[in-house]
């Protein structure tokens, strides 16, 4: 089986893909849309893409591409601990970096550190943390530093200039697995429960609309682990909601919510009903608060 992920080798997404599909072939792609397209075009059987980080929040690129461009079903989710480090080429030992490069989420996760240690140094966004590490490795004569993980440090043979530089200890990123419905995925042993993700669009903006939506879940005692609003991209103030329910799709309660909301004029799509996996690095003491 082939699994696409945000590359190159050494990204957090690769760590998540390896933890979820230890026995599959992993194929790196340059962007999140390219990973998703690889599944849509059947070049790969599944993809692993980031969706949410404890410090920085949602990965909008993943949500928007999934909702607006390629509506592939969500087949699973995995949460992994994130530790960011500042890496430089060994040839630059002892030098101060003139530029710090990384994925925008990684830079945001280290905002306080960068502000206190390198407030005058420019930052530049890359497609991924490992792409930044690779860039540093390919330019040994330039005083640039990458924010990336341990895997990238060893893959690209870089030195640690700062260790565990993320601003909050409890730093986790959740990734989703997308695959075509007909693909029979071999999912790993489950250890953290299930989720069902619904996409809800309101018929129009009227008072109490969101309250009515939430009531449909509340009186059925369905626990929600996330509610996210994103623009429908059709006009200012037009939003859809992504709602994660803490259980598998059943025959009664979730179909009941769907029909009740549809009777109110809402659009309801079920984006997936799937197992959650927590990958716990034994050396880290923190754990995510939900799956
Ligand atoms: O750049 C990487 O290593 C990624 O896997 C991407 C990504 C993200 O999109 O948030 C994943 C996890 C970390 O939160 C930082 C970056």
């Amino acid at each position: 089986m082939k699994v696409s992920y945000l590359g190159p080798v050494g990204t957090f997404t690769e760590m998540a893909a390896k933890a979820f599909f230890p026995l599959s072939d992993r194929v790196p792609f340059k962007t999140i849309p390219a990973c998703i397209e690889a599944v849509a075009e059947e070049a790969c059987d599944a993809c692993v893409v980031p969706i949410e980080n404890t410090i920085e929040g949602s990965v909008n690129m993943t949500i928007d591409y999934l909702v607006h461009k390629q509506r592939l079903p969500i087949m699973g989710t995995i949460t992994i601990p994130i530790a960011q480090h500042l890496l430089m080429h060994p040839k630059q030992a002892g030098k101060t970096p003139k530029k710090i490069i990384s994925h925008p989420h990684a830079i945001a996760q280290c905002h306080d550190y960068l502000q206190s240690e390198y407030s005058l140094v420019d930052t530049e966004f890359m497609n991924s943390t490992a792409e930044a590490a690779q860039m540093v490795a390919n330019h040994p004569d330039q005083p640039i530093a990458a924010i990336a993980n341990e895997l990238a440090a060893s893959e690209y043979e870089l030195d640690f200039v700062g260790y565990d530089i993320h601003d909050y200890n409890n730093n986790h990123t959740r990734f989703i697995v997308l695959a075509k419905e007909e693909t029979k995925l071999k999912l790993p042993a489950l250890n953290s429960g299930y989720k069902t993700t619904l996409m809800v669009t309101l018929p129009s903006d009227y008072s109490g609309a969101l309250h009515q939506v939430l009531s449909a879940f509340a009186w059925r005692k369905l626990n929600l682990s996330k509610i996210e609003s994103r623009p429908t991209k059709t006009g200012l103030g037009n939003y859809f909601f992504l709602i994660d329910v803490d259980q598998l799709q059943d025959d009664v309660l979730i179909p009941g919510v769907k029909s009740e909301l549809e009777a109110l004029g809402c659009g309801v799509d079920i984006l997936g009903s799937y197992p959650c996996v927590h990958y716990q690095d034994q050396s880290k003491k923190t754990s995510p608060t939900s799956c």
Side-chain angles (χ1 to χ4, degrees), residues 5-8 10-16 32 48-62 80-84 102-107 109 126-132 147-149 152 171-175:
Y5 71 93
L6 177 66
T11 57
F12 290 102
T13 313
E14 192 197 10
M15 288 179 172
I32 290 170
V48 177
V49 284
I51 187 138
E52 176 184 12
N53 170 261
T54 336
I55 301 177
E56 221 2 57
S58 290
V59 181
N60 293 333
M61 173 61 84
T62 298
I80 64 165
I82 302 290
Q84 305 285 8
S102 198
H103 186 277
H105 260 214
I107 290 178
Q109 289 163 27
M126 304 291 289
N127 284 314
S128 71
T129 55
E131 188 183 80
I147 297 176
N149 60 42
N171 192 13
H172 288 84
T173 297
R174 189 164 69 81
F175 298 80

Side-chain angles (χ1 to χ4, degrees), residues 64-167:
D64 288 355
Y65 205 82
L66 177 64
V67 166
H68 297 292
K69 306 279 188 195
Q70 278 298 353
R71 200 66 78 75
L72 294 172
I74 306 174
M75 298 294 198
T77 185
I78 177 162
T79 303
I80 64 165
I82 302 290
Q84 305 285 8
H85 312 296
L86 193 66
L87 310 173
M88 284 183 84
H89 199 281
K91 276 196 172 171
Q92 297 292 329
K95 301 234 182 85
T96 302
K98 288 236 156 51
K99 191 163 69 176
I100 296 176
I101 60 176
S102 198
H103 186 277
H105 260 214
I107 290 178
Q109 289 163 27
C110 306
H111 176 82
D112 293 351
Y113 170 84
L114 294 176
Q115 188 59 30
S116 74
E117 304 291 322
Y118 296 104
S119 61
L120 300 177
V121 177
D122 286 341
T123 52
E124 196 176 295
F125 293 159
M126 304 291 289
N127 284 314
S128 71
T129 55
E131 188 183 80
Q134 194 179 48
M135 172 77 103
V136 170
N138 290 342
H139 295 85
D141 298 325
Q142 291 183 22
I144 44 176
I147 297 176
N149 60 42
E150 271 175 2
L151 188 63
S154 86
E155 177 68 32
Y156 302 104
E157 300 181 354
L158 302 179
D159 284 352
F160 288 82
V161 176
Y163 199 77
D164 276 349
I165 61 168
H166 43 284
D167 296 333

Side-chain angles (χ1 to χ4, degrees), residues 216-236:
F217 294 95
W219 75 258
R220 289 179 175 84
K221 294 193 168 34
L222 286 171
N223 191 36
L224 307 184
S225 54
K226 187 181 180 199
I227 173 159
E228 164 91 22
S229 61
R230 286 292 301 151
T232 57
K233 305 190 193 286
T234 54
L236 270 182

Side-chain angles (χ1 to χ4, degrees), residues 179-194:
K180 286 204 162 172
E181 208 123 40
E182 61 266 26
T183 312
K184 288 268 172 288
L185 292 184
K186 238 183 159 204
L187 297 171
L190 315 176
N191 58 7
S192 320
Y194 296 89

